[in-house]
Amino acid sequence: MKITIIGTGYVGLVTGACFAEMGNDVTCVDNDRQKIRDLNDGIIPLYEPGLGRLITESFTKETLHFSTNLKNALTGAKVALIAVGTPQGEDGSADLKYVLEVAKEIGREISDYLVVVDKSTVPVGTADQVQSAIRDGLERRQVSIPFDVVSNPEFLKEGSAIHDFMKPDRVVVGTNSERALEIMKELYRPFTMNHERFIAMDVRSAEMTKYAANAMLATKISFMNEIAMICEKVGADVNQVRQGIGSDQRIGFRFIYPGIGFGGSCFPKDVRALIRTAEAQGMNPELIKAVVAINRNQRTHFINRILDHFSARGEGATLTKRKFAVWGLAFKPETDDMREAPSLTVIPALIERGAVIRTFDPHATKQARELYFKAVDGITYCQNKYEALEGADALLLLTEWKEFRSPDFTEIKKRLKTPVIFDGRNQYNREKLQELGFTYYQIGVAVTKDERQKMKD
C-alpha cells in the first residue's frame, strides 16, 4: 500500500519506519528542508532504540522515502497520516494550527479518494475540523473528490516505540466509513494477525481514548507519589507499600513507582489539554487537576529536601559554592527527549541558589547543551557518570538509565566530597547505602532522627 506521512518527528518517523518494514511504500513529508536532507543522508534527528537501523534498512530497500513535496507524495496514496506537532497553547489546550494547515494543503493537492488519518494527539472534535479544512480546499478548486477522515491515536512509549508499534496492545480506529475502515484493517493486518487487537469505534470516542489513557496512567503515578508523601509523614516506607498493593491483581505494579514525577511530550501536555476540554464544556475536572498539581509538587519537594539537608548543616537556603553531580537529563531512560523533564526544574533551581552542576546523560547531553540549557552558566557536561562525581557535595539521580542502576558505590563515595545521594527514582537499597556510610534520600521514606543528627555533625 502507498502511504504518505506528514511530519517527521517522533511519531511520524516511527510510524513510517514500521509501515515500511512491512513492505508498504512510505513517503515521509516535512517542510523542514534541512531535516529532509539529513534523513536522506542517513542522519536521524532523534534517539529511539532500533529506529536508526529500521530507517536505514527500509531506505536501502526503497520502501521508505523522504520528501518536501506533498503533492507528489499524495499521488497514488491510499492513506495519508497527519503526524505533526500539537504544542500546548497558552490556555493549556492543544494548538491545532499545524494539523489544520496540513489538512488545508491536502485539500489543495489530492486527486483521488484518500483516507486522511489523524495520528497526532488531538482533542475531541478535531476530525470535524480537519474534514472542514479539506472540504474547503476542494471547494476552492471547484472539484469533488471523495475522502474520509479517521482518528487513529498512537500509544507509543518512548524508549520502546518500535516494539509497541510492531506488537501493539491495541489499534484504535475511529471512523463512520466502512470503506475507510476496511483500508485501515488492511493497513494494520500485519501487526494484528496473531491476536485481534483492532478496535473500531466512532471518531470522537477514538480521539477521547488517547487522552483518557494518558490521564489514567498519569493518575496512577500521581496517586503513588501522594501516598509517598504521606509515608514520609507517618514513618512508613513507600517501597514496601508499593509491594503490598501491587500484588493485588486489580492494581498491579505498573505505573505505581514513586519518584520525582512524570514528564515528556505526552502526559503533561495531554492531561492539561484534557482539563481544558472539560472546562470548555463547563466542567471542573478536580481529579485530573490534582494529578497535575501533585506532579508539580514532587519536584518542589525534591528541591526542598536538598535545601533542608544543607540547612540542617547551618547553611540556610543558599547553595553558594556547592557542587552537585546530576545523573540523567532526559525525562525517562532510552530517549534523548527532555521535554518537561525533572532536570529542567531541579537544575535551574539549584543554580539560582548559587550551586554549580556536573552532569552526565547517555543520550540527552546534546539536547541540554544546544537547546534547553544553551544560555545557562554553571553546568559542566561530563563524559561518564563517575567523572560527574568529582568533588561534588551530593549526587542527584533524576533519570533511571540502566547504567545508573548498579554503580560502584565505593567509587561513588571516593569521588564525592561528601557521601550524600538524593534519589529521585528510588533505585537503590537504603540499608546497603547506610552501611556504606551514605546519607541517602528516597521519595516516600522519612528521614530518621539519627540521620538528621548525622547531617548536623
Side-chain angles (χ1 to χ4, degrees):
M1 186 184 299
K2 185 173 182 181
I3 303 166
T4 302
I5 297 176
I6 303 103
T8 57
Y10 180 80
V11 174
L13 287 178
V14 171
T15 302
C18 291
F19 278 140
E21 173 74 2
M22 294 301 169
N24 295 291
D25 182 7
V26 180
T27 300
C28 292
V29 179
D30 203 295
N31 59 9
D32 186 332
R33 295 183 179 277
Q34 185 58 53
K35 182 184 277 191
I36 293 300
R37 280 195 292 268
D38 288 344
L39 285 165
N40 280 318
D41 289 339
I43 301 172
I44 313 302
L46 54 88
Y47 174 73
E48 174 66 33
L51 179 60
R53 176 190 60 79
L54 215 57
I55 288 176
T56 299
E57 290 177 356
S58 296
F59 188 80
T60 302
K61 295 175 185 175
E62 298 186 350
T63 57
L64 181 61
H65 319 276
F66 302 102
S67 174
T68 58
N69 193 316
L70 180 59
K71 183 176 182 178
N72 288 347
L74 288 175
T75 301
K78 275 190 175 183
V79 178
L81 297 98
I82 301 175
V84 295
T86 53
Q88 181 177 289
E90 292 183 3
D91 63 351
S93 62
D95 188 340
L96 298 177
K97 63 181 178 182
Y98 300 121
V99 171
L100 297 179
E101 283 174 7
V102 170
K104 290 175 184 177
E105 192 170 357
I106 290 173
R108 291 194 295 267
E109 303 295 355
I110 60 172
S111 57
D112 201 355
Y113 174 77
L114 185 69
V115 177
V116 179
V117 179
D118 283 338
K119 198 68 178 171
S120 303
T121 300
V122 293
V124 176
T126 299
D128 295 339
Q129 296 183 57
V130 169
Q131 189 173 47
S132 295
I134 296 172
R135 186 175 291 119
D136 182 63
L138 292 172
E139 289 175 355
R140 289 175 182 272
R141 293 167 57 192
Q142 297 184 338
V143 295
S144 179
I145 299 172
F147 69 93
D148 284 304
V149 177
V150 168
S151 176
N152 174 218
E154 52 85 14
F155 299 98
L156 307 176
K157 299 186 294 294
E158 292 190 52
S160 61
I162 303 299
H163 177 272
D164 292 345
F165 200 102
M166 293 295 192
K167 297 181 178 180
D169 293 326
R170 75 283 206 197
V171 174
V172 172
V173 172
T175 180
N176 298 319
S177 164
E178 285 297 325
R179 183 179 184 182
L181 182 61
E182 289 306 312
I183 290 173
M184 294 300 290
K185 284 182 176 179
E186 178 187 350
L187 179 62
Y188 277 105
R189 188 167 288 115
F191 307 96
T192 58
M193 290 178 67
N194 293 335
H195 299 283
E196 184 50 58
R197 298 187 175 97
F198 193 96
I199 304 173
M201 59 182 71
D202 65 87
V203 174
R204 289 188 170 232
S205 295
E207 291 171 332
M208 187 64 184
T209 296
K210 170 66 174 183
Y211 280 118
N214 278 353
M216 180 65 210
L217 296 174
T219 299
K220 291 185 72 174
I221 294 170
S222 282
F223 170 80
M224 203 63 207
N225 280 333
E226 185 152 67
I227 293 297
M229 293 301 97
I230 298 172
C231 286
E232 286 187 19
K233 295 296 185 182
V234 302
D237 184 335
V238 73
N239 301 299
Q240 297 181 38
V241 174
R242 183 184 66 82
Q243 292 288 337
I245 67 173
S247 58
D248 186 327
Q249 293 183 358
R250 296 169 300 175
I251 298 172
F253 286 102
R254 301 192 69 181
F255 288 89
I256 61 167
Y257 288 88
I260 199 170
F262 57 79
S265 62
C266 293
F267 285 9
K269 178 171 68 73
D270 292 354
V271 171
R272 285 192 287 263
L274 184 57
I275 290 171
R276 185 69 188 90
T277 296
E279 289 177 338
Q281 301 301 317
M283 295 178 61
N284 179 26
E286 297 178 67
L287 174 60
I288 305 173
K289 284 182 176 179
V291 168
V292 175
I294 292 167
N295 195 61
R296 182 174 57 247
N297 292 341
Q298 283 302 107
R299 300 180 188 195
T300 302
H301 175 70
F302 187 81
I303 294 165
N304 286 341
R305 265 198 153 179
I306 297 170
L307 297 176
D308 288 347
H309 172 85
F310 290 100
S311 294
R313 299 173 67 89
E315 300 174 21
T318 181
L319 297 173
T320 303
K321 297 182 180 180
R322 287 293 176 184
K323 185 185 297 183
F324 293 95
V326 175
W327 283 4
L329 295 167
F331 86 94
K332 64 178 285 188
E334 300 303 330
T335 180
D336 61 353
D337 192 346
M338 285 182 61
R339 285 174 286 185
E340 307 229 19
S343 61
L344 298 180
T345 304
V346 174
I347 289 176
L350 300 181
I351 290 176
E352 285 172 8
R353 290 168 171 84
V356 294
I357 305 296
R358 294 176 61 82
T359 185
F360 170 73
D361 187 286
H363 288 283
T365 296
K366 183 179 179 182
Q367 292 281 334
R369 180 187 285 129
E370 297 181 3
L371 181 61
Y372 293 99
F373 295 135
K374 184 178 181 179
V376 178
D377 295 324
I379 303 177
T380 299
Y381 299 97
C382 301
Q383 296 299 311
N384 62 69
K385 60 180 181 286
Y386 293 119
E387 181 187 338
L389 300 170
E390 291 294 345
D393 294 281
L395 165 63
L396 281 54
L397 179 65
L398 302 186
T399 313
E400 64 275 32
W401 286 93
K402 289 179 181 177
E403 69 172 274
F404 299 157
R405 293 180 183 176
S406 298
D408 183 338
F409 290 107
T410 301
E411 184 69 17
I412 291 175
K413 189 175 182 181
K414 183 173 73 173
R415 294 194 182 223
L416 286 175
K417 183 179 178 181
T418 52
V420 180
I421 298 177
F422 294 91
D423 186 351
R425 299 299 182 181
N426 285 20
Q427 291 294 295
Y428 305 137
N429 184 293
R430 180 178 173 83
E431 288 73 24
K432 176 183 177 181
L433 287 181
Q434 288 175 333
E435 288 175 4
L436 292 172
F438 282 90
T439 299
Y440 178 56
Y441 294 91
Q442 283 185 309
I443 304 292
V445 181
V447 178
T448 66
K449 290 182 180 179
D450 289 343
E451 288 171 323
R452 287 197 176 277
Q453 185 59 47
K454 182 180 177 182
M455 289 179 224
K456 294 177 182 179
D457 297 340

